Every structure is written in C-alpha cells, then in structure tokens.
Amino acid sequence: MQQTAPSSTPLEFDALVVGAGIAGLYQLYRLREMGLKVRAFDAAGEVGGTWYWNRYPGARVDSMSYVYQYWFSDELLNEWDWSERFPAQPETERYLNHVADKFDLRKDIQLNTRIAHAHWNDSTRRWTLTTEAGERFAAQYFVSCSGMLSAPVVPPFPGHEKFKGQIAHTARWPESGLDLKGKRVGVVGTGATGIQVIQTIAPDVAALKVFQRTAQYAVPMKNDRYDAAAFAKWREKYPEFREKVHHTFAGFAFDFELPPYRSLTPAERIEALEKLWADGSLSFWVGGFTETLVEEDINEEISNFVRAKIRARIKDPKVADILVPSAYGFGTYRVPLENGYYDAFNRDNVELIDVRATPIERFTENGLVVDGREFELDVVILATGFDAGTGALARMDVRGREGCSLTEMWNKDIRSTLGLQVHGFPNLFTVAGPLAPSTAFCNMATCLQQQVDWVSDCIAFLRKHDKSVIEPTVEKENEWVTHHDEVANATLMMRTNSWYTGANVEGKPRRLLSYIGGVGNYRKFCDEAKDSHYAGFEVA
Ligand code: NAP
C-alpha cells in the first residue's frame, strides 16, 4: 500500500494496528472479519515482524513448527506442510507472506511506515497516530502488535564511527545479506541469537572472536526433517494440539508432566533428565520438572546435569570454564537451543573472549579492544538483544488521558492489566505487552493468538452493547500487578540478570516482564474478564 501525503486532517478508521508480524496479521484479519475499517502499519518493507527483521545466519524458530502456526483456518492448516521440526527463518517468513496473500491482508497494510506518536483525545474519544513522515490516522481503537522483542539494544561502545569494517545488529540484518566468507568476524553476545549465529558461521569465516559476558545453558536441538508423509502424522494431531496448547504451562503441546522430583530415586531422576535431554527441545526446561523454577536445591542439581553435558563437549578445559555457566541457575534466563554451538569452540579459527570481568572498551578503526588487546575484525555482529516487553511501545510517543505518557510511566514502573490494557490509556490494546506470558514464557504463536482473540472479542462486545470506550480501573490494574509479582517472587527468576527482568537495559525498572503463572492460568483470568462483561474495567 502506498503512503499518503502528510495532511492535517487524519484519515479515519475504526481500528489501527501497529505491527504486521504474527500478531498484527491475525489482528487485522479478525477485525476485518468483524466488519471494521482497519489499517495496519509496519516499519519493515515486508510483513513478518520478527521473521522479517531477524534474518541473520542461522535464525530459526525454537518452538515446534506444528504448534508455531495459526489455528484459525482449516484450509491454511491443510495446505501448509512444514519441512522441519524447527524451521529456519526463510520458511517462517514465507509462511507469514503466504498468510498475508491468502487472506488478502496486504491491501490494508501500510509498510515502510513507523508510527512516531499515538495520542488519545479525551473529547473525541479517539486515537490519532502520526507516522515519522507526518501522515495522520485516527481511530477508536489502537491495537499495538509491535512485538515483545523488536526494539534492539545497541551497546554504546565508544569509537564505533571510527571502525572501518561493518557493524550489524542481528535484528537489523541487511535484506541483501552480508558476505562473511573468509572474513574476520566478531560476535558480541551469546544469548539465543548469538548462539545461532556462532554455530552457523564458524565453519565459513576466517576467524571468529566470540565476546561472551554471560555463559548460557544451551540444550541440544533435535531438528527432524519432514517430507509430506512424515508431516501428515503431525497434521493428524492438530485437533488435539489446537486445544491443548492453550492449557499447558508454556503454550506447547507438552507440559510439566513428571512426578515430583523428590519422589524419585537419584537414578530415576537422571533417567528422566536423560530422556528429556534426548527430546532435543525446550521440553527439558518447561516440560520437565516444575521444581526447576522454584526450588533452589533441585535447580542446582539440574544445573549440574546440564553443566556436565556442556563440559563434555569442549576439548579445552580452560574454554569450558568460561562456557559453563556457574553464576545463576538453569532456566532462570531464557534457555536457548543449540546445534553445534559448543563444538564451534573446538575449532582452531574460533576464540572465546571473556568480557565479564574486563568489558569491551571501545572500537578502533581496526576492531574492538578488550583489556588493552586489540582484536582486528572485518565485521562486528551485535547479538546484544532487545529492550523487551516495553521497548517497542516506549519508543513511540504514546499518550493517554490528559496527555499522560506511557514511556514516562513505564520508565518508573512497568504496569498493565493482564498485559493487554493499561490504566490511563482507554481503547489501547497491548498484544505482547508486559506482564502476560506472551512476553517470554510462551510458544509465541499460542499466546499471540489468544491475546488477539481477547482483544477482538472485547471490541465485538463494545460494539454489540453500543459502548465506545474501555479502560481498566486502577484497582483492577493493582490486582493484576500484585498477583503477577506474587507469582514472580515465588520463583527463582528474579535472582538472575537478563532481559527477563529488564536488567539488560540501563535504568529499566526491575520486574519480571512476563507472567509466569502459566498460559492455561492466564487464559482463565482473561476468560473471566470477558465472561464477567469486563468487571474491573470502565466501559462507557
Ligand atoms: P539476549 O538473550 O538478551 O542476549 C544478548 C546477549 O548480548 C547477552 O549474551 C548479553 O550479555 C550480551 N550483551 C549485551 N550487551 C553487551 C555488552 N555491552 N558487552 C558484552 N555483551 C553484551 O538477546 P538475544 O540473544 O537476541 O535473545 C533474546 C530473545 O529472543 C531470546 O531469549 C529468545 O526469547 C528470542 N530468540 C528466539 C529465537 C528462536 O526462537 N529461535 C532465536 C533467537 C532469539 P548478558 O547476558 O551478560 O547481558
């Protein structure tokens, strides 16, 4: 869709959706099916969201393909075969483009358009969104589907303008790609993204310098390939999966199904852990022993199991000392899946640099300096993560009642109601906003669809009852934040510094960004709000 010329009179819609990734595409589809006049926006040049931006080498989904998809159309489910258990970025991007084409969504999506301001008008009771180019759009509902991991964090290393090579953030990877063959490459960051990059490029580059601040407990990924016959077996399970994913802890088709850890003998515990390990998926984490997340001594035993697995893969014990995590417990930082990551450090062309005690000092024209040593590099890859949960919305100038700024509010205290609405911001819906499982503890496809359905049902309710505004009361919001914190503080998650707690962004208020009471429980809270005709919300 073409951009329109800046105008002082906004174009009028019923709803404006920001983001054209998994959530935004489905939100556009649902609202349009309900008969609303909708426009969606995305800063990217194509649809796909995360799967458009994160096109770095090795980018891959780590939810199983057969549950990382839309459930709303049987026709779509029947015509799309996934080729792998964990598909690579291009396949997922193709799928989302296919969905956009099949449901003729593109005609209502304005690409290459970043929303700079979103202001609520108390007298017209409408939102006005202004793009960076100055175009204006107004609507009754503003649905943000702008992603929980979409605002990249770039560390402020001094001297980057002097560097003669290339610098690329993994979440802003050039669409035309980056030729790394035979180059001297540095990777900063060893989270889920850095791990995928490192294991993929190690065999191709001349020299790879990995700058690690925090070691990870990565679990091996068992990535089966499917032909049509093999995939048909998964399709048979769709009716079961479609229902089950909404009630498990993390939105997968598996759950915490093991007996209590203490009820097993030591041999039985190891047997259970080995079985989970062999599954090669996130089931080792959110489908294993539920005590992992709450009981310190059990967490330590499971951490030791993983530490031994990692150590056994690395030839040089000194390198293993750096790569094996010790300072925090397994599963309290997002667990990555790996496929050759640890083996990469057995290669002669790969060097691991510990930047925990001696941080990266600066760029020079030739590379990076750590502890006075200059590492000469042609390309520096920043796999340095995101301002998660709040970043995408906080980087927009979102103002609610009486001009209240969402950014200023979240800079002091990150609050929401069910992660879906915020007191003071009527008719703003925050899909993948903070304090819902969709921020981190969920197979995203499950949680985003559940949230989009909640938003759509809420708007349908307002229209049916001739109401125009909905906003959570301050009491309702307090209730949710208190419950969220109680659940979070009963776990080990708050003890670890990572994006989960906002610790990766300087000055960000500390709170577990994601609701950790489970996807099934969260859904009950959302259903209760709907079934009670939005008790605790002001509806006018
Ligand atoms: P991340 O987990 O936040 O990791 C960022 C890395 O950069 C960390 O190792 C961090 O170290 C390091 N870092 C940041 N600033 C640094 C500095 N100044 N000096 C040295 N190191 C620095 O980000 P991510 O790897 O992009 O992953 C974010 C999330 O995206 C994942 O947890 C996951 O949920 C999602 N993801 C999913 C997939 C998938 O499904 N396939 C793939 C990739 C990512 P510290 O830990 O010490 O801060």
Side-chain angles (χ1 to χ4, degrees):
M1 168 175 288
Q2 293 295 306
Q3 291 168 335
T4 44
S7 132
S8 55
T9 315
L11 285 177
E12 299 287 337
F13 290 86
D14 296 318
L16 299 171
V17 175
V18 176
I22 294 177
L25 292 176
Y26 182 43
Q27 187 66 76
L28 170 60
Y29 170 83
R30 281 287 324 257
L31 294 178
R32 233 173 51 179
E33 289 290 295
M34 286 160 52
L36 273 75
K37 187 179 172 199
V38 192
R39 183 166 292 185
F41 304 91
D42 203 295
E46 254 308 341
V47 301
T50 285
W51 301 105
Y52 169 85
W53 292 109
N54 290 270
R55 47 182 64 248
Y56 57 83
R60 189 174 283 286
V61 186
D62 59 11
S63 294
M64 289 84 165
S65 51
Y66 45 80
V67 293
Y68 193 84
Q69 60 179 344
Y70 294 116
W71 297 109
F72 68 87
S73 160
D74 285 338
E75 207 179 286
L76 175 64
L77 286 164
N78 287 328
E79 74 193 10
W80 188 270
D81 278 358
W82 292 101
S83 72
E84 291 183 276
R85 190 184 190 205
F86 299 108
Q89 174 270 335
E91 185 169 354
T92 312
E93 190 186 24
R94 263 198 315 280
Y95 171 72
L96 294 171
N97 273 276
H98 172 71
V99 170
D101 290 333
K102 182 176 176 69
F103 298 99
D104 198 15
L105 299 176
R106 292 182 200 279
K107 66 175 189 237
D108 295 310
I109 302 173
Q110 187 170 320
L111 296 167
N112 299 306
T113 303
R114 188 174 287 282
I115 301 299
H117 309 277
H119 292 179
W120 171 255
N121 184 320
D122 285 321
S123 47
T124 62
R125 297 171 139 204
R126 289 172 78 75
W127 283 94
T128 300
L129 271 56
T130 310
T131 70
E132 275 184 349
E135 291 175 273
R136 297 173 74 224
F137 302 86
Q140 193 171 353
Y141 306 107
F142 165 24
V143 189
S144 168
C145 298
S146 49
M148 80 301 177
L149 288 161
S150 56
V153 169
V154 177
F157 301 130
H160 63 92
E161 68 291 346
K162 291 188 198 142
F163 181 52
K164 286 190 178 149
Q166 270 178 294
I167 304 174
H169 193 289
T170 44
R172 290 292 176 270
W173 204 256
E175 214 172 326
S176 53
L178 205 55
D179 184 13
L180 301 173
K181 246 192 172 56
K183 301 251 171 80
R184 299 165 304 170
V185 179
V187 176
V188 183
T190 52
T193 302
I195 285 173
Q196 291 187 333
V197 174
I198 291 158
Q199 67 194 15
T200 307
I201 67 172
D204 293 332
V205 299
L208 179 58
K209 308 291 177 194
V210 176
F211 300 91
Q212 176 196 278
R213 195 163 64 184
T214 301
Q216 290 284 349
Y217 294 94
V219 171
M221 170 187 276
K222 184 166 169 282
N223 192 13
D224 301 329
R225 291 195 67 81
Y226 304 131
D227 58 17
F231 195 73
K233 294 192 183 129
W234 290 112
R235 186 172 282 114
E236 279 170 22
K237 291 178 181 280
Y238 280 1
E240 176 197 334
F241 291 166
R242 188 187 225 163
E243 176 58 22
K244 188 171 182 187
V245 292
H246 289 296
H247 304 285
T248 58
F249 176 77
F252 289 98
F254 56 76
D255 209 346
F256 289 121
E257 277 157 11
L258 291 177
Y261 190 82
R262 290 186 210 287
S263 72
L264 301 180
T265 64
E268 286 169 337
R269 293 169 189 168
I270 295 295
E271 192 188 331
L273 289 171
E274 289 287 2
K275 203 166 158 216
L276 281 169
W277 192 258
D279 182 53
S281 77
L282 293 175
S283 68
F284 187 84
W285 176 37
V286 282
F289 290 104
T290 181
E291 298 94 333
T292 313
L293 304 180
V294 283
E295 293 202 41
E296 207 172 346
D297 53 339
I298 294 176
N299 179 284
E300 182 61 11
E301 283 188 29
I302 293 169
S303 301
N304 281 335
F305 176 91
V306 183
R307 287 174 186 137
K309 291 280 187 198
I310 298 172
R311 195 168 280 282
R313 297 263 297 276
I314 304 153
K315 285 189 191 145
D316 182 340
K318 285 198 195 110
V319 174
D321 286 344
I322 306 171
L323 276 175
V324 173
S326 56
Y328 67 101
F330 171 80
T332 60
Y333 193 138
R334 164 61 146 82
V335 173
L337 297 184
E338 60 84 30
N339 215 327
Y341 174 64
Y342 293 111
D343 314 294
F345 295 93
N346 294 330
R347 299 178 60 90
D348 290 339
N349 67 333
V350 178
E351 182 182 352
L352 179 66
I353 299 107
D354 185 356
V355 295
R356 162 67 57 196
T358 49
I360 293 169
E361 287 166 25
R362 62 195 156 91
F363 272 100
T364 63
E365 60 179 41
N366 301 316
L368 286 168
V369 177
V370 177
D371 204 14
R373 175 179 164 198
E374 184 183 59
F375 293 85
E376 294 196 1
L377 301 164
D378 303 309
V379 180
V380 173
I381 298 175
L382 298 175
T384 45
F386 303 89
D387 183 350
T390 54
L393 266 168
R395 288 181 190 187
M396 265 178 244
D397 165 37
V398 179
R399 287 175 191 273
R401 272 190 292 107
E402 294 156 27
C404 160
S405 157
L406 188 63
T407 312
E408 282 171 24
M409 192 182 114
W410 278 351
N411 278 345
K412 291 191 206 112
D413 190 14
I414 298 169
R415 301 169 59 78
S416 80
T417 302
L418 295 168
L420 280 162
Q421 281 219 285
V422 185
H423 174 70
F425 298 82
N427 289 6
L428 165 64
F429 297 96
T430 53
V431 175
L435 316 195
S438 58
T439 325
F441 289 107
C442 190
N443 162 31
M444 290 309 296
T446 302
C447 284
L448 296 178
Q449 288 177 85
Q450 181 265 336
Q451 289 195 313
V452 166
D453 285 337
W454 191 90
V455 172
S456 309
D457 291 346
C458 177
I459 292 176
F461 171 87
L462 297 175
R463 286 161 68 85
K464 184 172 169 203
H465 295 273
D466 221 8
K467 304 286 183 193
S468 56
V469 181
I470 184 162
E471 179 193 340
T473 61
V474 72
E475 292 78 18
K476 177 79 184 170
E477 193 147 292
N478 286 341
E479 197 184 292
W480 180 249
V481 174
T482 304
H483 169 67
H484 169 93
D485 286 355
E486 274 169 11
V487 177
N489 293 334
T491 71
L492 303 171
M493 312 304 291
M494 289 304 289
R495 303 190 192 172
T496 299
N497 287 330
S498 81
W499 66 263
Y500 269 13
T501 52
N504 66 326
V505 176
E506 214 183 315
K508 189 162 176 167
R510 206 168 160 99
R511 170 162 273 143
L512 194 64
L513 286 167
S514 187
Y515 177 64
I516 196 174
V519 168
N521 282 337
Y522 172 74
R523 188 185 172 88
K524 282 187 204 145
F525 283 108
C526 292
D527 287 350
E528 263 167 38
K530 176 185 157 189
D531 296 343
S532 66
H533 291 185
Y534 306 95
F537 292 75
E538 274 171 31
V539 177

